[in-house]
Amino acid sequence: MIDITLEVNGASKTLSVEPRRLLADVLRHEFGMSGVHIGCAHGACGCCTVHLDGTPRLSCLTFAVQCDGASIRTVESLGGSEADHVLQQAFKSEHGLQCGYCTPGFLMTLAPFVEEMVAQKRMPEEGEIREAMSGNICRCTGYQGIVAAVRKAVTVGLDAGAA
Amino acid sequence: MKAERPKFIGARIQRFEDTRLLSGTARYIDDIVLPNMLHLNFLRAETAHATILDIDTSALADLDFPTWVFTGKDTAGLSMKAHQDVPEMQYSEQPFLAEGKVRFVGEPVAVILAEDPYKAEDAAELVFVDYDPLPVVGTMEQARDPEMPPLFDGWKGNVIVERQMKGGDLAAARAAAAHIITRTYRTQRQAGVPMEGRGVVAHYNPADRVLTVWSSTQMPHLVRTYISEELGLPESRIRVVAPDVGGGFGVKGQVYADEILIAWLAMKTGRPVKWIEDRREHLIASIHARDHEHTLEAYVSADGRLLGLKADITVDNGAYSTYPFTSAGEPGMVGKVLPGPYDFQAYEATFRAVATNKCAIGTYRGVARPSAVFSQERLMDDIAAELGIDPFEFRLKNIIRQFPYKNVLGFTYDEGSYAQSLEQMRELLAEDIAEAEVSKSSATRRVGVGIACFIEQTAHGTPDFTRRRTPIETGYIAARVDMSPDGEITIDLGLQSHGQGLETTMAQVAADALGMKPENVYVRHGDTMTTPYSVGTWGSRGGALGGGAVHIAATRIADKLRTIAAHLLQSKPDQIDLVDGRAQVRDNPGSFIEIKKIARIAQRNVEQMPDGMTPGLEAHASCDGPRDGTYANAVHAAVVEIDILTGKTKLRRFVVIEDCGTMLNPLVVDGQVRGGVVQGIGSAMLEHFIYDSECQPLTTNFADYLMPLAPEIPNIEVHHIETPTPLTPLGAKGLGEGGAIGPAAAIANAVGNALGTGVAETPLNTNAVWKLSQHIRETA
Ligand code: FES
Ligand code: FES
């Protein structure tokens, strides 16, 4: 067992974990972050994506002990229980989700992408948006609503910047 | 006559369930955690066909943590029984844990339980199984070889079931034919593969004898019934809950042995038991789908009229029959649907399922139809090519135009927009067709256009299921609607929603009937404790029949509201309109009472109700499918661009024209169509479960089993035609599956069009297209 300290969505906790425990499992079971979903556990679907010190990472390919001292964000931190983050709202209006299982992974993958585009003050091309989500699998939506949601969130961000 | 027009049915309303799903507060099966819970790990067969000589669990005793282990000896006699009650079907059962023999790689042989899932996995590695291998039945040909040993004792060969359907005079059609075209088409083994795998949690409380089972299922009531029948518990004391379910697509539309086994284990160990499937388990041992070979022979007149069709259909069913649709379901469906949207009067189909040492075949979006339509629509193009007719022309010449239409098997089609959608599609594709024509002179880059025109029998109900003589038996969908004293509405829906948006669409239906807003309606589903008995969400039935049940129940409450309002307003019930939260007198809208006030009167101030009226605003209703269902129709079109030197195929455009009758919510309809199409694109171009000659599965993770990713998928253009059906209460036809039915055929036809060759098989991956374009490279 190894002692580690993780800061998850703003709250810090020190705990003792086996070196083999996946970050995904520790986030789900020790921190109660059930928005972290496991779709494959072999790094191929993106369902388990969280932010590790600000960068999207696959929590099924990361051991919790690798993250000692890190700051982690899960979908729960985005827009709270009202899901009022601009990208979450865009997913809703553009029908970017159906069963919702892949959704936290897509949100955590795409939220930084949206921010980046807004910072660069540009609307990404269709192909660029699709490329940005090429590590995530959605079996329900056919991706089109997700692409539209990204475009909408970038639009809102650009409009806010222009105002 | 009703004055109020639908306000919410047909509106593009954003989904209520989204906030929960987006915020991370949804509760899926793995989020069910109970005190004192044991975690289960399956030890699964590593060899496809073998006798079990010994299972050695002795090493578990040395572990420094407690474990529980069970094998087929412990569960002897417990099994899944999924039989079609016809003399042509050979009987078999699937034991909960293998008894004596294993029949496919992935079959559960033992279960190991521990207090931590990692430890359960550790422990499972210490159990040793000694197998004596048996000859493997690995292909359709081997399965039809009488020399091969049967998979089950007492069987004659490995043909599970073989039956026929026919109508009209096929010999006469053949005799009259100027052209006889014979082709064989093959669609490979694939599956729905939801992003959330399956999982089960069970808990038994001996004090009140209540068993609670959470399962990621599309059919909680059927799980309850099977548990009751197999374990001998009263259904009243079994509660099955489908929590939030992360996609189903038919994979979760079966009752699985593990759902009952885990309930049994919870009773046996006295502790809650949890099993969460991992992805490898899902890909080798949940269920597979498709895996068909069809040989079709078409009889065509000199002027291009289809006179008759003969079909020989084989499905590689794998080892076991699945509940409740059985091994007979898949081939039987092909036999039934092959006549399709075309007008001809002679047909004969022979269809069979054969047993092999592979994972069992079950349902996946569209069920047998993606394969049937692949063959049907490939055949249409092949005939058109042989006759030198344009594929649109040939279809339009043979398409059904008069409704209702009685087909060659006696099924009656309600009205659709078959010819109109074909004409409209031809216009939409004009430029692509011209470009494809020009590209024919190129030896390096070709463009191809292909279509698939099909119908889909939807909203199947009891009449259809009793004909099948399989354990499904019935098909009604029930709903209970309740208006509480504050005027808010609850729907307890017999369906389970796993992405379809039923929490929104059903609210729209109730809101219109009751003159309230969808926001006033809370839809509960998936829990047998609160919801009325129904057979689950599958088969493109939810909108049409579930919406019908909600409409009927809500209308009963509306009638009562009108009666009370008439009493209070000194009017007549048929003069009262329910609109915008008010019950108002039609010709005098100034005279009204708020609906929530009536709700209070009906349950709190009951002395104000008309004399003799029973308090309460609650109604239960069910809606069953019409005799032959209702037929949705669609035309799909694909435009591909092929690099002849590499075989790399780009899907440039995909267009859908669909007619599902009344749309409850176009946002949801478009989402269902697009999602289905993209699954169909996966079926057409990527997905294939591969087994080697020893029936070892080679596609056991997402690097080997490829599903569509965003970059390779174009936007899906969706156009609607609405032909409401008179056969369901709201005019809705089913639409959940249609998107997945056409793409394999449309894409194969596009590839065939580009390359000037027939296409006999899916998936059309780069390698397959490269092989198909060999003749162009050779002549270049
Ligand atoms: S669960 Fe981590 S990538 Fe699939
Ligand atoms: S919404 Fe179901 S997998 Fe994406």
Side-chain angles (χ1 to χ4, degrees), chain B residues 7 99-100 152 179 202 210 298 345 399 415 453 557 695 709 744 749:
Chain B
K7 297 176 71 169
E99 290 174 29
F152 293 90
H179 309 272
V210 170
Q345 289 306 327
I399 202 85
E415 190 170 349
C453 173
I557 296 174
C695 278
L709 298 172
N749 282 341

Side-chain angles (χ1 to χ4, degrees), chain A residues 25 28 34 39 98 139 143-144, chain B residues 15 27 31 118 192 708 716:
Chain A
D25 285 334
R28 288 179 52 76
S34 60
Q98 288 181 24
R139 193 62 161 163
Y143 303 105
Q144 196 159 334
Chain B
R15 304 195 318 168
R27 290 289 171 264
D31 303 326
Y118 285 57
I716 313 298

Side-chain angles (χ1 to χ4, degrees), chain A residues 22 24 36-49 57-62 101 135-137, chain B residues 195 279 702:
Chain A
L22 301 178
V36 179
H37 295 165
I38 296 180
C40 70
H42 55 260
C45 77
C47 278
C48 63
T49 307
R57 284 278 282 271
L58 299 176
S59 61
C60 78
L61 287 191
T62 309
Y101 197 77
N136 294 69
I137 306 177
Chain B
M195 293 318 296
R279 192 47 75 180
F702 285 163

